[in-house]
Amino acid sequence: EQLRSMTKLDTELIAVIEDWVKAYEGDDAERVIDLYTADAVVAVQGRATVNGGTAIAELLRASLVKYDRRVTIRFDRAEREANWGYVYGRSWITLTPRDGSVATNLFGRFIVVLRHCEDGKWRIFMDFDQPSADVEPTKPHFGS
């Protein structure tokens, strides 16, 4: 019984990240913004840390206008205790500027801390990603 509930829970947390990927790749800024708490923190490769929903929304809207995006995620862990959970894994992100300039490939490890909010939804409270030597840069969608 405990294994079944843990599997269900893991799936629920992972579903938030999968929803983020789908909305991010699909230019759905409002859906991505809704996946964050109002007091969220985002620290992504090559950028200063962004604090709070308003600042995250500004960063996201600017990115969605400038780039086409492709994201691949591999999940390594997803656990929860009470109203907090985390998802840890590997990511590969291709940012292709819409002006035709050269694409950027980012790859590494991420950890997302989620909070179970009063409305019953899991939302992203902290979103960190960094380069990592143990993540193969040519996998899974960058080519050789």
Side-chain angles (χ1 to χ4, degrees):
E1 183 62 43
Q2 185 176 10
L3 180 60
R4 269 190 240 134
S5 87
M6 181 62 109
T7 300
K8 179 181 182 293
L9 183 60
D10 286 352
T11 301
E12 189 176 2
L13 295 175
I14 287 169
V16 175
I17 308 309
E18 290 174 336
D19 194 19
W20 182 94
V21 169
K22 183 178 178 182
Y24 185 64
E25 285 183 330
D27 287 337
D28 189 345
E30 298 315 308
R31 180 69 193 130
V32 176
I33 292 164
D34 185 56
L35 293 170
Y36 287 93
T37 63
D39 57 344
V41 176
V42 173
V44 296
Q45 294 182 36
R47 294 193 177 264
T49 301
V50 180
N51 295 286
T54 301
I56 292 168
E58 289 173 12
L59 173 68
L60 177 67
R61 287 187 182 111
S63 175
L64 293 182
V65 168
K66 187 174 182 179
Y67 300 103
D68 289 321
R69 296 146 313 279
R70 182 165 180 202
V71 179
T72 301
I73 301 286
R74 297 287 184 262
F75 300 104
D76 293 326
R77 291 181 91 167
E79 298 184 40
R80 124 168 163 79
E81 185 168 327
N83 290 327
W84 293 95
Y86 73 90
V87 179
Y88 168 75
R90 295 158 284 155
S91 64
W92 295 262
I93 301 172
T94 299
L95 301 173
T96 304
R98 291 185 172 160
D99 67 6
S101 54
V102 177
T104 300
N105 292 318
L106 304 172
F107 58 94
R109 295 256 174 209
F110 72 89
I111 186 163
V112 174
V113 178
L114 300 105
R115 180 191 300 151
H116 196 248
C117 298
E118 289 181 10
D119 64 2
K121 294 181 181 179
W122 285 97
R123 287 197 170 80
I124 299 166
F125 174 65
M126 293 185 169
D127 181 357
F128 296 103
D129 94 70
Q130 65 178 1
S132 184
D134 67 334
V135 176
E136 181 66 37
T138 60
K139 308 268 187 224
H141 73 257
F142 291 170
S144 54

mmCIF file of all heavy atoms in Angstrom, residues 7-27:
data_model
loop_
_atom_site.group_PDB
_atom_site.id
_atom_site.type_symbol
_atom_site.label_atom_id
_atom_site.label_comp_id
_atom_site.label_asym_id
_atom_site.label_seq_id
_atom_site.Cartn_x
_atom_site.Cartn_y
_atom_site.Cartn_z
ATOM 1 N N THR A 7 4.209 5.872 -5.386
ATOM 2 C CA THR A 7 4.221 5.934 -6.844
ATOM 3 C C THR A 7 3.241 6.995 -7.330
ATOM 4 O O THR A 7 3.563 7.809 -8.168
ATOM 5 C CB THR A 7 3.868 4.559 -7.447
ATOM 6 O OG1 THR A 7 4.835 3.631 -6.998
ATOM 7 C CG2 THR A 7 3.885 4.612 -8.955
ATOM 8 N N LYS A 8 2.048 7.012 -6.772
ATOM 9 C CA LYS A 8 1.059 8.025 -7.142
ATOM 10 C C LYS A 8 1.597 9.419 -6.850
ATOM 11 O O LYS A 8 1.484 10.325 -7.638
ATOM 12 C CB LYS A 8 -0.249 7.790 -6.389
ATOM 13 C CG LYS A 8 -1.311 8.814 -6.697
ATOM 14 C CD LYS A 8 -2.560 8.511 -5.895
ATOM 15 C CE LYS A 8 -3.669 9.469 -6.202
ATOM 16 N NZ LYS A 8 -3.394 10.838 -5.766
ATOM 17 N N LEU A 9 2.206 9.572 -5.706
ATOM 18 C CA LEU A 9 2.745 10.866 -5.318
ATOM 19 C C LEU A 9 3.870 11.289 -6.248
ATOM 20 O O LEU A 9 3.906 12.415 -6.722
ATOM 21 C CB LEU A 9 3.239 10.816 -3.873
ATOM 22 C CG LEU A 9 3.773 12.126 -3.326
ATOM 23 C CD1 LEU A 9 2.720 13.211 -3.358
ATOM 24 C CD2 LEU A 9 4.285 11.925 -1.918
ATOM 25 N N ASP A 10 4.782 10.390 -6.508
ATOM 26 C CA ASP A 10 5.869 10.719 -7.429
ATOM 27 C C ASP A 10 5.313 11.170 -8.773
ATOM 28 O O ASP A 10 5.798 12.137 -9.351
ATOM 29 C CB ASP A 10 6.771 9.511 -7.648
ATOM 30 C CG ASP A 10 7.660 9.204 -6.462
ATOM 31 O OD1 ASP A 10 7.689 10.016 -5.528
ATOM 32 O OD2 ASP A 10 8.308 8.147 -6.475
ATOM 33 N N THR A 11 4.323 10.482 -9.248
ATOM 34 C CA THR A 11 3.711 10.829 -10.535
ATOM 35 C C THR A 11 3.096 12.216 -10.485
ATOM 36 O O THR A 11 3.198 12.987 -11.434
ATOM 37 C CB THR A 11 2.646 9.774 -10.904
ATOM 38 O OG1 THR A 11 3.285 8.505 -10.962
ATOM 39 C CG2 THR A 11 2.012 10.070 -12.239
ATOM 40 N N GLU A 12 2.495 12.556 -9.372
ATOM 41 C CA GLU A 12 1.875 13.876 -9.228
ATOM 42 C C GLU A 12 2.918 14.989 -9.275
ATOM 43 O O GLU A 12 2.727 16.010 -9.929
ATOM 44 C CB GLU A 12 1.096 13.918 -7.912
ATOM 45 C CG GLU A 12 0.237 15.137 -7.739
ATOM 46 C CD GLU A 12 -0.598 15.092 -6.463
ATOM 47 O OE1 GLU A 12 -0.485 14.125 -5.686
ATOM 48 O OE2 GLU A 12 -1.360 16.050 -6.265
ATOM 49 N N LEU A 13 4.045 14.799 -8.604
ATOM 50 C CA LEU A 13 5.105 15.800 -8.622
ATOM 51 C C LEU A 13 5.727 15.912 -10.015
ATOM 52 O O LEU A 13 5.952 17.014 -10.528
ATOM 53 C CB LEU A 13 6.184 15.461 -7.590
ATOM 54 C CG LEU A 13 5.774 15.502 -6.127
ATOM 55 C CD1 LEU A 13 6.925 15.025 -5.258
ATOM 56 C CD2 LEU A 13 5.315 16.883 -5.712
ATOM 57 N N ILE A 14 6.009 14.774 -10.614
ATOM 58 C CA ILE A 14 6.598 14.767 -11.952
ATOM 59 C C ILE A 14 5.665 15.411 -12.963
ATOM 60 O O ILE A 14 6.095 16.123 -13.871
ATOM 61 C CB ILE A 14 6.994 13.331 -12.350
ATOM 62 C CG1 ILE A 14 8.238 12.918 -11.553
ATOM 63 C CG2 ILE A 14 7.248 13.206 -13.844
ATOM 64 C CD1 ILE A 14 8.584 11.456 -11.646
ATOM 65 N N ALA A 15 4.368 15.231 -12.783
ATOM 66 C CA ALA A 15 3.384 15.829 -13.699
ATOM 67 C C ALA A 15 3.487 17.350 -13.721
ATOM 68 O O ALA A 15 3.268 17.975 -14.766
ATOM 69 C CB ALA A 15 1.972 15.390 -13.317
ATOM 70 N N VAL A 16 3.841 17.970 -12.598
ATOM 71 C CA VAL A 16 4.012 19.429 -12.574
ATOM 72 C C VAL A 16 5.164 19.829 -13.483
ATOM 73 O O VAL A 16 5.056 20.782 -14.270
ATOM 74 C CB VAL A 16 4.250 19.947 -11.135
ATOM 75 C CG1 VAL A 16 4.555 21.446 -11.140
ATOM 76 C CG2 VAL A 16 3.048 19.644 -10.248
ATOM 77 N N ILE A 17 6.267 19.089 -13.409
ATOM 78 C CA ILE A 17 7.432 19.406 -14.248
ATOM 79 C C ILE A 17 7.109 19.137 -15.718
ATOM 80 O O ILE A 17 7.466 19.930 -16.599
ATOM 81 C CB ILE A 17 8.667 18.599 -13.796
ATOM 82 C CG1 ILE A 17 8.922 18.759 -12.288
ATOM 83 C CG2 ILE A 17 9.891 18.991 -14.627
ATOM 84 C CD1 ILE A 17 8.977 20.188 -11.789
ATOM 85 N N GLU A 18 6.426 18.053 -15.996
ATOM 86 C CA GLU A 18 6.031 17.766 -17.381
ATOM 87 C C GLU A 18 5.081 18.840 -17.918
ATOM 88 O O GLU A 18 5.177 19.225 -19.087
ATOM 89 C CB GLU A 18 5.405 16.379 -17.467
ATOM 90 C CG GLU A 18 6.429 15.277 -17.270
ATOM 91 C CD GLU A 18 5.825 13.883 -17.193
ATOM 92 O OE1 GLU A 18 4.628 13.750 -16.836
ATOM 93 O OE2 GLU A 18 6.566 12.923 -17.491
ATOM 94 N N ASP A 19 4.200 19.338 -17.071
ATOM 95 C CA ASP A 19 3.300 20.428 -17.464
ATOM 96 C C ASP A 19 4.106 21.685 -17.766
ATOM 97 O O ASP A 19 3.845 22.395 -18.744
ATOM 98 C CB ASP A 19 2.282 20.673 -16.353
ATOM 99 C CG ASP A 19 1.115 21.536 -16.774
ATOM 100 O OD1 ASP A 19 0.867 21.685 -17.992
ATOM 101 O OD2 ASP A 19 0.423 22.069 -15.879
ATOM 102 N N TRP A 20 5.131 21.950 -16.941
ATOM 103 C CA TRP A 20 6.001 23.104 -17.163
ATOM 104 C C TRP A 20 6.682 22.992 -18.533
ATOM 105 O O TRP A 20 6.706 23.960 -19.300
ATOM 106 C CB TRP A 20 7.052 23.188 -16.049
ATOM 107 C CG TRP A 20 7.970 24.361 -16.140
ATOM 108 C CD1 TRP A 20 7.823 25.558 -15.520
ATOM 109 C CD2 TRP A 20 9.177 24.444 -16.913
ATOM 110 N NE1 TRP A 20 8.867 26.387 -15.860
ATOM 111 C CE2 TRP A 20 9.704 25.732 -16.713
ATOM 112 C CE3 TRP A 20 9.849 23.559 -17.756
ATOM 113 C CZ2 TRP A 20 10.889 26.155 -17.314
ATOM 114 C CZ3 TRP A 20 11.024 23.974 -18.369
ATOM 115 C CH2 TRP A 20 11.536 25.260 -18.140
ATOM 116 N N VAL A 21 7.239 21.812 -18.832
ATOM 117 C CA VAL A 21 7.930 21.605 -20.114
ATOM 118 C C VAL A 21 6.971 21.852 -21.274
ATOM 119 O O VAL A 21 7.293 22.584 -22.217
ATOM 120 C CB VAL A 21 8.550 20.194 -20.204
ATOM 121 C CG1 VAL A 21 9.032 19.890 -21.617
ATOM 122 C CG2 VAL A 21 9.692 20.039 -19.207
ATOM 123 N N LYS A 22 5.795 21.267 -21.217
ATOM 124 C CA LYS A 22 4.817 21.410 -22.296
ATOM 125 C C LYS A 22 4.412 22.877 -22.483
ATOM 126 O O LYS A 22 4.373 23.382 -23.612
ATOM 127 C CB LYS A 22 3.585 20.558 -21.989
ATOM 128 C CG LYS A 22 2.546 20.579 -23.073
ATOM 129 C CD LYS A 22 1.381 19.667 -22.729
ATOM 130 C CE LYS A 22 0.323 19.736 -23.812
ATOM 131 N NZ LYS A 22 -0.838 18.893 -23.488
ATOM 132 N N ALA A 23 4.148 23.579 -21.395
ATOM 133 C CA ALA A 23 3.758 24.988 -21.488
ATOM 134 C C ALA A 23 4.916 25.853 -21.967
ATOM 135 O O ALA A 23 4.737 26.762 -22.783
ATOM 136 C CB ALA A 23 3.233 25.475 -20.133
ATOM 137 N N TYR A 24 6.128 25.582 -21.488
ATOM 138 C CA TYR A 24 7.311 26.346 -21.871
ATOM 139 C C TYR A 24 7.619 26.171 -23.359
ATOM 140 O O TYR A 24 7.847 27.144 -24.077
ATOM 141 C CB TYR A 24 8.493 25.911 -21.006
ATOM 142 C CG TYR A 24 9.770 26.691 -21.204
ATOM 143 C CD1 TYR A 24 9.842 28.049 -20.905
ATOM 144 C CD2 TYR A 24 10.919 26.066 -21.662
ATOM 145 C CE1 TYR A 24 11.020 28.760 -21.067
ATOM 146 C CE2 TYR A 24 12.111 26.762 -21.822
ATOM 147 C CZ TYR A 24 12.155 28.112 -21.519
ATOM 148 O OH TYR A 24 13.326 28.810 -21.690
ATOM 149 N N GLU A 25 7.609 24.942 -23.827
ATOM 150 C CA GLU A 25 7.849 24.689 -25.248
ATOM 151 C C GLU A 25 6.710 25.248 -26.113
ATOM 152 O O GLU A 25 6.925 25.596 -27.267
ATOM 153 C CB GLU A 25 7.986 23.196 -25.514
ATOM 154 C CG GLU A 25 9.294 22.607 -25.061
ATOM 155 C CD GLU A 25 9.429 21.131 -25.404
ATOM 156 O OE1 GLU A 25 8.409 20.413 -25.469
ATOM 157 O OE2 GLU A 25 10.571 20.698 -25.611
ATOM 158 N N GLY A 26 5.518 25.326 -25.551
ATOM 159 C CA GLY A 26 4.338 25.745 -26.300
ATOM 160 C C GLY A 26 4.003 27.216 -26.212
ATOM 161 O O GLY A 26 2.887 27.628 -26.566
ATOM 162 N N ASP A 27 4.926 28.042 -25.700
ATOM 163 C CA ASP A 27 4.720 29.497 -25.603
ATOM 164 C C ASP A 27 3.542 29.885 -24.726
ATOM 165 O O ASP A 27 2.947 30.939 -24.909
ATOM 166 C CB ASP A 27 4.523 30.127 -26.986
ATOM 167 C CG ASP A 27 5.801 30.192 -27.801
ATOM 168 O OD1 ASP A 27 6.891 30.180 -27.206
ATOM 169 O OD2 ASP A 27 5.704 30.246 -29.037
#
